[in-house]
Amino acid sequence: MAKKSSSVRGSAARWILIVILVVVVGFAAGFLYSRYGTGFFGSSIKPGYLSNMDSIYVNNISKELELTATQQEVVQLALKAELSQRKALTQEGLAESAIASELKSTTASAVDVIRAALGDKTDTFLNLVKEYNRGRSIPVKLVPVKVYFIVADPDWGVKAEEHYVVDENKPLRALESLIEGPEDLSMGMPLPPTTRILGFTVENGTAYVDLSREAITEAYKYCPVSAGGEAMSINAIGNTLTEFSEIQRVKLSIEGKTQGEIDGYSIEEYWGHFGLPSEITRNEEVIVP
């Protein structure tokens, strides 16, 4: 009887220990989730990892995974949500560590949105996100750059806005901000927001920029496509990129071409007035203070 009682007590003690362990593990899991979000459980996507990626890399991922247009749009919105929060936290003047801490829940939510949209492609997508960030030491805090947009009151010109971008390949990030558009909605867009950057390299002071067809085929939807608007589109691109000391001139192409037609639109005519220049240089005269 004494042996049975001892056995019962031993069994009860084991169950109590198991319950305690379950509670402790559950508490720890809850704490880690609240602190690190879904990134801790499998995805390992740290704050800033999503919006660190440049648009060219994201476009390549989309092609590789054969994402639908809807899936691509969801991914873009998730990345923009993280970047928007990074901008807000940077503008508040928070320290690097504080921005990373505050950004965790936004990153976790963005991963959840991507997972819901991509389904079984999610793990591959997240692995490619981690591959981009591997070996990089990119600050979570963003840096300010000047981006030029179109103004037309009273005369045509371009005006600079301060935009916050990822502190890596800043000329490319500035061009991405130009495509996203101005914060001051009274200014005009130099390129349609549907434009994709297909290629971007800098060699011997020249930035070679390859844009998707939407730069000319959808300009009428979003941009001032008059002669003055076309001239300022070119100046806005040139002045934005020549803000960086390594760039003195810009050469534009549309889907790898400087001549020919795409969807019935002439590449060399650009928006149909002055046409696509052989190269773009800085024009201080059109800058509006």
Side-chain angles (χ1 to χ4, degrees), residues 62-110:
S62 299
K63 287 182 181 179
E64 182 175 337
L65 298 183
E66 298 181 343
L67 301 185
T68 65
T70 300
Q71 288 174 325
Q72 291 180 50
E73 186 175 352
V74 170
V75 167
Q76 292 290 348
L77 289 174
L79 271 56
K80 285 180 180 179
E82 187 192 67
L83 183 60
S84 177
Q85 182 69 353
R86 281 174 84 174
K87 289 178 181 177
L89 294 170
T90 296
Q91 289 174 312
E92 286 179 22
L94 298 183
E96 182 84 7
S97 58
I99 294 175
S101 179
E102 291 289 331
L103 197 60
K104 285 171 184 172
S105 59
T106 301
T107 302
S109 297

Side-chain angles (χ1 to χ4, degrees), residues 49-68:
Y49 266 25
L50 292 171
S51 51
N52 276 350
M53 297 185 295
D54 63 60
S55 58
I56 296 175
Y57 187 79
V58 175
N59 289 337
N60 290 337
I61 287 179
S62 299
K63 287 182 181 179
E64 182 175 337
L65 298 183
E66 298 181 343
L67 301 185
T68 65

Side-chain angles (χ1 to χ4, degrees), residues 45-259:
I45 301 302
K46 296 180 180 179
Y49 266 25
L50 292 171
S51 51
N52 276 350
M53 297 185 295
D54 63 60
S55 58
I56 296 175
Y57 187 79
V58 175
N59 289 337
N60 290 337
I61 287 179
S62 299
K63 287 182 181 179
E64 182 175 337
L65 298 183
E66 298 181 343
L67 301 185
T68 65
T70 300
Q71 288 174 325
Q72 291 180 50
E73 186 175 352
V74 170
V75 167
Q76 292 290 348
L77 289 174
L79 271 56
K80 285 180 180 179
E82 187 192 67
L83 183 60
S84 177
Q85 182 69 353
R86 281 174 84 174
K87 289 178 181 177
L89 294 170
T90 296
Q91 289 174 312
E92 286 179 22
L94 298 183
E96 182 84 7
S97 58
I99 294 175
S101 179
E102 291 289 331
L103 197 60
K104 285 171 184 172
S105 59
T106 301
T107 302
S109 297
V111 170
D112 288 340
V113 168
I114 291 170
R115 190 177 297 281
L118 302 193
D120 58 7
K121 296 180 179 180
T122 304
D123 288 342
T124 303
F125 176 86
L126 295 179
N127 285 334
L128 291 168
V129 173
K130 288 185 281 186
E131 181 63 31
Y132 181 92
N133 287 278
R134 186 171 292 120
R136 281 176 159 89
S137 181
I138 303 174
V140 180
K141 182 179 286 189
L142 303 176
V143 296
V145 297
K146 283 185 178 180
V147 181
Y148 289 85
F149 297 97
I150 300 172
V151 293
D153 186 17
D155 299 312
W156 287 105
V158 296
K159 187 173 182 178
E161 271 193 338
E162 185 178 74
H163 284 219
Y164 284 84
V165 301
V166 174
D167 193 8
E168 183 190 55
N169 199 350
K170 286 182 284 190
L172 171 58
R173 307 305 178 127
L175 184 59
E176 291 173 348
S177 283
L178 180 147
I179 291 171
E180 287 177 12
E183 294 175 4
D184 181 350
L185 298 182
S186 70
M187 294 196 282
M189 300 194 67
L191 287 169
T194 51
T195 305
R196 289 169 293 119
I197 304 170
L198 304 180
F200 188 96
T201 58
V202 179
E203 296 178 8
N204 300 320
T206 301
Y208 295 89
V209 179
D210 189 32
L211 301 175
S212 67
R213 65 187 61 199
E214 289 80 9
I216 58 175
T217 63
E218 297 194 358
Y220 73 95
K221 295 181 182 179
Y222 306 98
C223 308
V225 294
S226 64
E230 180 187 76
M232 292 310 109
S233 165
I234 296 298
N235 283 311
I237 295 168
N239 284 7
T240 295
L241 293 179
T242 54
E243 278 289 328
F244 303 94
S245 59
E246 63 268 36
I247 298 174
Q248 287 80 54
R249 66 199 70 82
V250 180
K251 288 185 177 290
L252 280 184
S253 59
I254 306 298
E255 301 203 356
K257 300 176 182 178
T258 56
Q259 293 182 335

